[in-house]
Amino acid sequence: MCIFCDIIDHKIPSSIVYEDDDVLAILDISQVTYGHTLVMPKKHVSSALEADPSTVAKVFTCAAQLGAKIKKNTGAAGVNLLANCGEAAGQSVDHMHCHIIPRFNESDAIRIEFHPEGEKDLNEVLQTVTA
Ligand code: AMP
Ligand code: ZN
């Protein structure tokens, strides 16, 4: 059972922002910021890491285009396009999706901060990530 598949099949109601043959975009029920939207493929796949390239292209192209429209219509100053892939990365629904999170100011109820772990041997890191 997948809650997003049930939404796609209209078994669970949702606020549809955009829909075509391959992609559905809905308002996120949690509305972390005003206009927070989710873009998902209609075909079930766990995350972008398992999806075929055309699915990835469709979802992220839609997210970019809708992100621009939502930014304009909400008056947001910026937008985070965010895909959590895997539980360790914060994914709670096991159906690929990309968050569109309009950003207004520093009091938005979201924090994305980078805290460097410390110095790394970039040559060694490069060998690992490109192996
Ligand atoms: P993630 O944590 O990246 O997997 O994001 C899952 C998102 O799905 C969360 O932000 C939830 O608020 C959202 N969500 C869960 N159930 C629903 C639902 N029925 N309708 C809309 N959004 C939902
Ligand atoms: Zn699903």
Side-chain angles (χ1 to χ4, degrees):
M1 185 235 143
C2 168
I3 189 166
F4 284 178
C5 283
D6 284 349
I7 287 172
I8 289 159
D9 293 341
H10 300 282
K11 290 180 188 154
I12 295 177
S14 68
S15 303
I16 296 176
V17 175
Y18 173 81
E19 183 169 17
D20 65 25
D21 288 347
D22 303 308
V23 168
L24 178 71
I26 61 169
L27 291 181
D28 191 303
I29 204 160
S30 71
Q31 290 295 288
V32 163
T33 64
Y34 187 94
H36 180 187
T37 295
L38 300 171
V39 184
M40 63 192 74
K42 287 192 169 176
K43 190 173 76 175
H44 181 94
V45 63
S46 286
S47 83
L49 305 187
E50 290 81 26
D52 60 69
S54 80
T55 299
V56 174
K58 281 172 188 157
V59 169
F60 284 96
T61 299
C62 179
Q65 290 176 343
L66 267 186
K69 180 176 178 183
I70 290 169
K71 177 176 180 280
K72 182 165 158 270
N73 288 352
T74 61
V79 171
N80 289 110
L81 299 181
L82 181 69
N84 299 326
C85 301
E87 204 178 335
Q91 185 175 8
S92 61
V93 176
D94 186 37
H95 181 128
M96 177 185 174
H97 53 281
C98 179
H99 294 259
I100 301 171
I101 305 174
R103 299 300 298 271
F104 299 91
N105 54 51
E106 60 279 0
S107 65
D108 292 341
I110 175 173
R111 288 281 162 277
I112 299 175
E113 295 173 351
F114 294 92
H115 298 285
E117 275 187 321
E119 237 173 75
K120 295 276 188 297
D121 176 348
L122 290 189
N123 284 328
E124 187 275 325
V125 176
L126 194 58
Q127 278 184 20
T128 300
V129 300
T130 58

